[in-house]
Amino acid sequence: MCGIVGAVAERNIANILLEGLKRLEYRGYDSAGLTVIRDGELHRERQVGKVQALVDAVEASTDFFDGHIGIAHTRWATHGEPAQRNAHPHISGKIAVVHNGIVENYAELKKELIAKGYEFTSQTDTEVVAHLIHDIYEQTNDLLEAVRAVIPKLHGAFALGIIHVDTPDELVTVRLGSPLVIGVGIGENFIASDQLALLPVTNRFMYLEEGDIAKLTRDSIKVYVNGEEVSREVHEIDAKQHNADKGEFKHYMLKEIYEQPDAVARTLEMAIDNRQASALRDDFLARNEAQLSGVQHVQIIACGTSYHAGMVAKYWFESLMRLSCSVEVASEFRYRNPVVLDNSLVICISQSGETADTLSALREIKKQNPAGLVSLALCNVPTSSLVRETDIFLPTLAGPEIGVASTKAFTTQLVALMLLVLKTGAVQQRIDSANLSTLLGELQKLPGQLYTSLHLDAPIKAMAEHFEDKKSCLFLGRGLQFPIALEGALKLKEISYIHAEGYAAGELKHGPLALVDKDMPIVVLAPKDSMLDKLKANMQEVHARHGELFVFASEDSHINAEDRLHVVYVKAVCETLAPIVYSVPIQLLSYHVAVMRGTDVDQPRNLAKSVTVE
């Protein structure tokens, strides 16, 4: 949520700031703005809507934006409606500020500042920060010291970028609960909320830690903790691997759906040796075997799509390993004073590794410090906060995922979770070699099975035409398919804006059946598994009430199309891994419905890719 870009350089940085904002559009936003210092003045432009509106305004402006230091921002509204006056940067005197996160005590601080004579032009909590820094700077005449003095007054989580006209070669930044990275250049340095924003100008990055305050000039970067200067390592990344464009596809989401076979193959390769396909690689989590051997319970915490992946993993841990497993939404878990069992493996799942609620839940667990605690990050970003704060890192090798609706991140999470289940089972001798070999063999079929599922695009597109004018939809699944039904409903609602709910099909008679009529489409996930006969009975209950069924069925399920029952056949797959394969058809269905309804597929309204505020 929200995006920050900042630069101090020997060259004009306006275009660098604007390009950085374009590359952060995936995060979700409602307005954008930038400020540069030129000829001893702050020059600011802000616009509601897309970054392109800001670009057009800058190009059309009679003002000059060819400065050598500046900050820019995309805003996702929290305090105050989407409006030009609420867009960042915010200015107080000669100071400009951009801010990600939330200042929880802004109302009381605002009262104090008004009493001192400060006037507010916005509804935001950020303007409070700008005025506070201005107030203290007037006393200290030192920007870094003023920022350092303000931070203890702010309650919440935030990242800040600050510039001052009187120090036109100095950019101050803060990271406390919201991600921020420094880009290291030659004669220039940068800040951003995501390294993706800076890849056109550098591939060298310094990752700030919690509580860091940094001062950047063209030729230096100084990082402070509690007033003491500290060093932070500079990491060099392969920019090609982190770059992303749509290529021949109309949307990032569709491109990322089609990238799933390769992403899954990469994730499998880290654990399975092609030369010995019946066993896990010797080096897969080898250093963590002692920690995994003592695990007696698994606790999974996650949000959104990652939570659904965790629900599938619960079935796997308990059915395959007979190892108890709990799954909870991080935003609920962290606030209910939970009991974490001794000898628990706490798995934190997050695509970005910066999900605020998941990070906070992990920190609460660490405070409890139960005996034998082992924490594991399942994440797509190896440099993220979540990875740095856990004992074990299990990567999902999905590559950059730009579309807000998660696709390849989800399927690679499922694959990585299955690999973790098998590794834990092997270490604890909860799975014999024959079953391990069988499941590893089935895993290696997945890339090909996903390619086959992509060939269903045409019939799924035809099916999607029935949803274009619908207002509500139900997704049904049983057993391992119940979490996929939840995921299908989430995908449809977030990009097409059709109200959708996922249910365990056995729950139909406990309420949802009241909604079924001729105008309510019912999507059913029907692989051939141990629950298929019961699922068919649930389908009959819907059909008898004139509901229209849209079924993704195994080709050997003996489910036949008829009036008000539409079927897309999926190749027969292993029951245990069917959730991974059946994820592709529901992604394609949601995508085509959204395109037909004319929504913004990659950047759906009100949503952000990375939820970094609580």
Side-chain angles (χ1 to χ4, degrees):
M1 288 182 171
C2 300
I4 286 175
V5 186
V8 53
E10 296 175 355
R11 54 176 163 164
N12 176 23
I13 48 82
N15 288 333
I16 293 173
L17 298 180
L18 291 170
E19 177 60 26
L21 293 186
K22 288 179 181 179
R23 297 171 70 88
L24 291 178
E25 286 188 292
Y26 74 94
R27 294 175 69 90
Y29 68 102
D30 50 64
S31 56
L34 87 163
T35 296
V36 300
I37 297 175
R38 181 181 181 275
D39 296 335
E41 294 182 352
L42 293 172
H43 296 257
R44 178 176 65 175
E45 182 63 64
R46 300 179 293 176
Q47 292 290 324
V48 175
K50 297 295 186 183
V51 170
Q52 189 58 47
L54 176 65
V55 174
D56 294 342
V58 168
E59 291 177 350
S61 176
T62 56
D63 206 348
F64 293 98
F65 288 90
D66 55 344
H68 298 278
I69 183 170
I71 49 179
H73 189 267
T74 51
R75 177 178 186 257
W76 189 87
T78 54
H79 296 78
E81 64 184 359
Q84 189 176 48
R85 66 190 176 112
N86 291 327
H88 298 212
H90 287 282
I91 290 175
S92 181
K94 297 180 179 181
I95 291 171
V97 174
V98 289
H99 163 224
N100 286 355
I102 293 177
V103 178
E104 296 171 353
N105 61 330
Y106 85 101
E108 58 194 78
L109 294 171
K110 185 173 182 177
K111 288 181 182 178
E112 295 173 8
L113 288 163
I114 290 173
K116 289 185 176 184
Y118 282 92
E119 295 183 3
F120 284 78
T121 60
S122 77
Q123 302 165 302
T124 69
D125 53 343
T126 305
E127 194 174 4
V128 167
V129 180
H131 290 322
L132 279 173
I133 296 173
H134 178 273
D135 184 45
I136 296 178
Y137 182 86
E138 292 296 294
Q139 305 164 40
T140 64
N141 207 37
D142 186 309
L143 184 59
L144 180 65
E145 288 303 317
V147 172
R148 186 177 287 147
V150 164
I151 299 309
K153 299 177 182 290
L154 306 177
H155 300 164
F158 44 84
L160 300 169
I162 309 109
I163 56 175
H164 194 299
V165 167
D166 292 345
T167 55
D169 60 349
E170 183 178 310
L171 170 59
V172 176
T173 190
V174 181
R175 186 234 161 114
L176 189 66
S178 192
L180 200 75
V181 62
I182 292 175
V184 182
I186 300 173
E188 56 189 16
N189 290 303
F190 312 89
I191 63 170
S193 35
D194 188 323
Q195 64 194 21
L196 186 65
L198 302 177
L199 286 176
V201 290
T202 185
N203 68 334
R204 300 173 66 230
F205 297 97
M206 182 184 294
Y207 301 98
L208 295 182
E209 298 184 7
E210 281 295 285
D212 283 358
I213 300 176
K215 181 173 76 172
L216 285 68
T217 67
R218 298 174 187 175
D219 302 312
S220 69
I221 300 169
K222 294 184 178 181
V223 182
Y224 301 90
V225 176
N226 298 323
E228 299 293 325
E229 188 172 351
V230 298
S231 61
R232 295 283 179 250
E233 185 179 356
V234 176
H235 301 264
E236 188 169 322
I237 68 168
D238 183 346
K240 292 181 180 179
Q241 291 186 10
H242 290 76
N243 222 333
D245 58 58
K246 286 188 289 229
E248 63 186 31
F249 294 92
K250 184 177 180 180
H251 297 98
Y252 279 111
M253 182 182 177
L254 185 61
K255 173 178 178 282
E256 289 156 6
I257 289 172
Y258 273 79
E259 287 176 339
Q260 287 178 113
D262 290 338
V264 164
R266 286 195 301 271
T267 303
L268 288 171
E269 285 169 4
M270 73 178 175
I272 305 174
D273 191 335
N274 288 332
R275 293 168 297 181
Q276 191 180 359
S278 61
L280 292 166
R281 293 172 62 105
D282 291 338
D283 58 351
F284 176 59
L285 297 180
R287 290 179 299 172
N288 308 108
E289 288 188 359
Q291 293 168 295
L292 294 175
S293 65
V295 170
Q296 297 176 14
H297 176 73
V298 178
Q299 174 68 63
I300 299 175
I301 49 177
C303 300
T305 286
S306 296
Y307 170 70
H308 298 153
M311 291 180 69
V312 175
K314 174 181 171 68
Y315 282 86
W316 288 338
F317 271 113
E318 295 192 342
S319 63
L320 298 174
M321 300 296 107
R322 305 307 299 159
L323 189 61
S324 66
C325 179
S326 303
V327 188
E328 293 202 50
V329 176
S331 57
E332 291 295 316
F333 180 87
R334 58 173 295 210
Y335 288 114
R336 68 168 183 78
N337 193 23
V339 175
V340 180
L341 300 177
D342 288 347
N343 302 306
S344 286
L345 171 63
V346 175
I347 302 174
C348 304
I349 310 175
S350 169
Q351 187 276 143
S352 68
E354 302 293 351
T355 307
D357 285 315
T358 304
L359 278 165
S360 295
L362 171 65
R363 291 163 186 162
E364 289 298 319
I365 291 170
K366 285 186 169 184
K367 286 181 183 177
Q368 292 188 26
N369 194 29
L373 173 69
V374 180
S375 59
L376 181 147
L378 185 66
C379 182
N380 197 38
V381 184
T383 55
S384 64
S385 300
L386 192 64
V387 172
R388 293 197 297 271
E389 295 186 30
T390 46
D391 301 318
I392 303 173
F393 170 42
L394 180 56
T396 55
L397 303 180
E401 187 178 69
I402 306 301
V404 166
S406 183
T407 52
K408 61 178 180 175
F410 178 61
T411 48
T412 53
Q413 283 174 353
L414 290 175
V415 170
L417 284 164
M418 172 53 77
L419 292 169
L420 178 63
V421 169
L422 297 180
K423 180 63 174 180
T424 306
V427 168
Q428 297 193 3
Q429 298 183 335
R430 291 175 179 265
I431 184 170
D432 60 43
S433 58
N435 285 332
L436 177 63
S437 177
T438 297
L439 284 169
L440 289 174
E442 293 296 334
L443 277 168
Q444 290 179 91
K445 296 177 185 177
L446 276 175
Q449 291 168 339
L450 294 176
Y451 273 120
T452 300
S453 294
L454 291 171
H455 293 156
L456 301 174
D457 185 69
I460 292 173
K461 185 176 182 180
M463 180 185 280
E465 294 175 0
H466 296 271
F467 291 73
E468 187 175 356
D469 61 348
K470 301 301 182 184
K471 295 182 178 180
S472 294
C473 177
L474 291 179
F475 283 73
L476 303 179
R478 298 200 72 145
L480 279 164
Q481 294 299 326
F482 168 45
I484 308 306
L486 293 173
E487 176 64 9
L490 175 61
K491 285 289 161 287
L492 188 66
K493 74 178 73 170
E494 67 183 341
I495 64 171
S496 75
Y497 314 149
I498 295 174
H499 172 255
E501 297 296 333
Y503 277 94
E507 289 293 292
L508 267 176
K509 293 189 288 290
H510 296 274
L513 203 57
L515 297 173
V516 174
D517 60 23
K518 61 182 178 61
D519 294 319
M520 171 73 80
I522 314 292
V523 179
V524 182
L525 303 169
K528 187 176 182 181
D529 57 22
S530 59
M531 305 292 285
L532 181 59
D533 288 339
K534 292 185 178 297
L535 182 67
K536 287 179 177 179
N538 301 137
M539 290 168 56
Q540 288 299 321
E541 293 168 347
V542 172
H543 211 241
R545 288 158 180 82
H546 309 291
E548 191 160 9
L549 290 157
F550 298 86
V551 186
F552 295 108
S554 175
E555 58 187 4
D556 55 357
S557 65
H558 302 295
I559 296 175
N560 299 313
E562 56 182 275
D563 182 46
R564 300 185 67 78
L565 195 163
H566 312 268
V567 185
V568 170
Y569 292 105
V570 181
K571 287 284 186 182
V573 296
C574 164
E575 177 178 345
T576 302
L577 303 180
I580 303 171
V581 176
Y582 277 71
S583 297
V584 174
I586 62 169
Q587 294 167 1
L588 288 169
L589 176 66
S590 298
Y591 171 79
H592 287 303
V593 173
V595 170
M596 290 174 185
R597 288 169 63 90
T599 63
D600 191 338
V601 173
D602 288 331
Q603 298 168 35
R605 66 189 183 198
N606 304 331
L607 298 180
K609 182 67 177 173
S610 180
V611 183
T612 56
V613 296
E614 300 169 358

